[in-house]
Amino acid sequence: MVDPPAAAERTVLVTGATSGIGLHTAMGLAGRGMRVIVHGRTIASARRATAAIVGAVPGARLLSVAADFGSLAAVASLASQVRAVSGGSLHVLVNNAGLASGSARRSSDGFELTMAVNHLAPFLLTAALLPTLQANAPARVVTVASVAHAWARPRRGRIPLTDGPGGLRSYAHSKLANVLFTYALARRLQGSTTSATCLHPGAVRTRLGRRGSGGMGMGLLLLWPLALWPQTAARTSILLASDPTVEGISGAYYASGRAVRSSAASHDRQLQEWLWHASEQVTLPFLGAASDVG
Ligand SMILES: NC(=O)c1ccc[n+]([C@@H]2O[C@H](COP(=O)([O-])OP(=O)(O)OC[C@H]3O[C@@H](n4cnc5c(N)ncnc54)[C@H](OP(=O)(O)O)[C@@H]3O)[C@@H](O)[C@H]2O)c1
């Protein structure tokens, strides 16, 4: 077993690090001495976030990358950007970027937008960066899911992957996909020193669901007085991305800093494998571009 390198020698990519939980995860990991690759939808927003992080953590070592997750070609190019800016040194991937769209909207590839951004994009990004992570192992893939995964209702062993209805149902399906993906990935990584975990950050005061999210935004508004601040909610992501106490833990779902049981549907192995293969089929055409040495 190889000893994990000290924090200062480790590099982490945080997607959706421009606001909310992602911004505070990036700040927390920079505070722990890690080199942080800050992903934004645009390079301008990623640079604004790096400025905010340096303000909070003087001396933070930061890099900026950009991609709109509504385009799988852009996600593929992100993998190349990450390899280029990091010099091939990447130890942790935090799949955090996500949205909650109130209506059925389409990605630029024609897929239902919430599932495209919340599941297909991190699926492709992880597949594209896995060789780099494994070359730097011990390595970790941490995916920000949600308790909303338990509201998903798979039908006949399927969830809508590219043509969902939008709104809360698609959000719940996308967050179930995050958990199913994590368990299927952990199984594939068994026996290696690369781990896969996922988490529920809590109900959090962020912009999620506040822009164009219809009834779902209203629901989140009702929870607002009880919701956590993003700096508190980021703690579980920071733990799973960096803490030595969880080294080697894989195939687990965390909430409030500890492993908890996820929904029965998330443990359905057939559903996990169906999702894996269906996601592979959709993203495969983009994986070649993502593997190009950038
Ligand atoms: N807030 C909650 O109560 C809660 C509860 C459970 C789970 N979560 C999960 O926590 C994660 C972070 O959400 P948050 O609450 O921190 O929300 P947030 O403040 O809205 O942050 C979401 C991040 O994802 C990015 N993003 C959204 N759409 C994108 C796209 N098409 N391409 C690239 N980046 C995109 C956003 O970038 P822009 O600024 O450019 O939009 C932003 O950086 C999500 O996965 C969410 O599902 C949140």
Side-chain angles (χ1 to χ4, degrees), residues 29-274:
L29 293 171
R32 287 187 167 209
M34 291 178 84
R35 184 172 70 148
V36 182
I37 306 176
V38 173
H39 159 257
R41 191 196 301 241
T42 64
I43 200 67
S45 65
R47 289 193 179 132
R48 275 195 299 276
T50 59
I53 297 168
V54 167
V57 184
R61 292 174 309 134
L62 305 170
L63 299 161
S64 312
V65 289
D68 186 334
F69 279 15
S71 154
L72 290 176
V75 175
S77 93
L78 175 62
S80 304
Q81 286 179 59
V82 168
R83 278 191 297 272
V85 300
S86 68
S89 173
L90 182 71
H91 304 85
V92 185
L93 165 60
V94 181
N95 287 316
N96 167 82
L99 62 79
S101 170
S103 54
R105 287 163 62 202
R106 297 272 147 190
S107 72
S108 61
D109 305 303
F111 306 140
E112 190 282 313
L113 186 65
T114 305
M115 186 62 93
V117 170
N118 294 5
H119 167 64
L120 293 174
F123 182 91
L124 173 60
L125 185 64
T126 306
L129 290 175
L130 204 53
T132 309
L133 287 162
Q134 290 184 298
N136 288 282
R140 303 179 185 191
V141 177
V142 178
T143 300
V144 182
S146 167
V147 72
H149 83 271
W151 308 334
R153 294 284 168 264
R155 283 214 190 140
R156 296 187 206 93
R158 304 277 186 275
I159 52 175
L161 189 59
T162 57
D163 59 353
L168 184 55
R169 277 173 61 202
S170 285
Y171 183 72
H173 286 138
S174 75
K175 293 290 130 178
L176 175 60
N178 291 158
V179 186
L180 294 164
F181 159 69
T182 298
Y183 293 161
L185 178 62
R187 200 158 45 245
R188 283 161 174 78
L189 294 171
Q190 253 168 24
S192 80
T193 50
T194 301
S195 65
T197 54
C198 60
L199 67 114
H200 169 57
V204 194
R205 293 169 185 238
T206 66
R207 295 183 323 194
L208 188 93
R210 303 200 80 189
R211 289 171 298 186
S213 58
M216 190 165 155
M218 288 298 290
L220 284 170
L221 216 56
L222 291 175
L223 282 175
W224 197 253
L226 303 172
L228 301 175
W229 292 103
Q231 48 271 51
T232 308
R235 283 182 194 154
T236 305
S237 298
I238 294 167
L239 171 89
L240 291 174
S242 65
D243 212 274
T245 59
V246 295
E247 188 69 47
I249 290 177
S250 196
Y253 171 75
Y254 272 62
S256 304
R258 61 192 175 85
V260 295
R261 192 164 168 81
S262 56
S263 72
S266 72
H267 290 281
D268 178 339
R269 199 182 267 228
Q270 277 184 354
L271 185 58
Q272 291 166 11
E273 289 305 311
W274 169 81

